[in-house]
Amino acid sequence: MSLSADVAPRITSWLQTRNFVALGNLGEQVAILLLRQLGYQVLGTQDDYLGMVPDVLGEGTTAHPEDFIAVDPEGRLMTINSKATASPGTCRLLHDGRLTKPRIARLQRMTDYSTQRANLVCPLDSDSYAQVVKIDLINLKAQVFDIDVEGGLTHVGPAHDITGLVKAVLAERPDSMPPPSTMD
């Protein structure tokens, strides 16, 4: 592992105890900070829209919104899914320093799926856009990926060093795991 000494104990502990909730919460907290740094306007998080799914989308209560609904720096409305990983098998860098593609369910890569969830903000006359932010908690890097209309993933720019963001999130709660809501 290439974790820095000041974050390694907590992340390693969560890995050893299989506390994937803590790792996922950390990933979402880091993702929202990164998106804001990159110029995204985050309109809401999954927690903000969770109760609206049955009434607005007409789906059962087991259906969930994506992690974020945001406007990207180009002005596009999109849904964004955060995927945190701390597995040596999935935390790999390509030869050019970008991250390998995240694992994301086929359904979550479909345009209809993301557009339907973007409708939680406002009714759309056309399709929305979708992205995934992979948070690599071993190499302390993050990478944004566009999801195309066929469900393929394409790197958006370079991988970003998230060491400072991880440290900041962990410092806010030195004795507990990050909360599930990124707006807390």
Side-chain angles (χ1 to χ4, degrees):
M1 277 194 190
S2 62
L3 290 170
S4 63
D6 46 352
V7 299
R10 289 178 73 187
I11 293 174
T12 302
S13 170
W14 291 335
L15 275 170
Q16 290 172 342
T17 59
R18 301 180 57 84
N19 189 345
F20 301 119
V21 171
L23 294 168
N25 289 357
L26 175 59
E28 285 189 29
Q29 296 284 343
V30 169
I32 197 169
L33 293 173
L34 176 66
L35 290 170
R36 288 178 176 153
Q37 280 185 357
L38 296 175
Y40 288 73
Q41 178 187 2
V42 178
L43 303 175
T45 68
Q46 187 177 64
D47 287 347
D48 297 324
Y49 301 111
L50 193 57
M52 297 169 59
V53 170
D55 294 332
V56 176
L57 302 182
E59 293 185 8
T61 56
T62 58
H64 295 287
E66 290 302 274
D67 294 327
F68 310 106
I69 297 177
V71 176
D72 77 352
E74 297 174 23
R76 302 178 300 169
L77 179 67
M78 62 177 50
T79 59
I80 303 172
N81 198 310
S82 170
K83 292 293 183 187
T85 184
S87 161
T90 58
C91 291
R92 291 177 288 128
L93 300 174
L94 299 174
H95 66 281
D96 61 4
R98 295 179 301 162
L99 300 181
T100 57
K101 295 177 181 177
R103 294 182 181 154
I104 183 167
R106 180 163 174 73
L107 176 66
Q108 290 180 303
R109 290 183 283 140
M110 306 311 293
T111 302
D112 291 347
Y113 178 90
S114 62
T115 299
Q116 183 179 24
R117 272 125 185 92
N119 276 297
L120 289 166
V121 172
C122 64
L124 300 175
D125 293 333
S126 61
D127 292 335
S128 73
Y129 297 90
Q131 290 183 329
V132 180
V133 179
K134 181 177 181 178
I135 305 294
D136 176 333
L137 294 172
I138 291 180
N139 295 300
L140 298 176
K141 301 273 184 199
Q143 180 81 54
V144 178
F145 293 83
D146 271 335
I147 301 175
D148 65 30
V149 294
E150 285 86 34
L153 300 174
T154 306
H155 293 89
V156 176
H160 303 276
D161 184 320
I162 56 169
T163 304
L165 299 177
V166 171
K167 287 179 182 180
V169 170
L170 292 177
E172 284 183 19
R173 289 186 168 74
D175 299 320
S176 64
M177 69 181 191
S181 176
T182 55
M183 299 299 219
D184 286 348

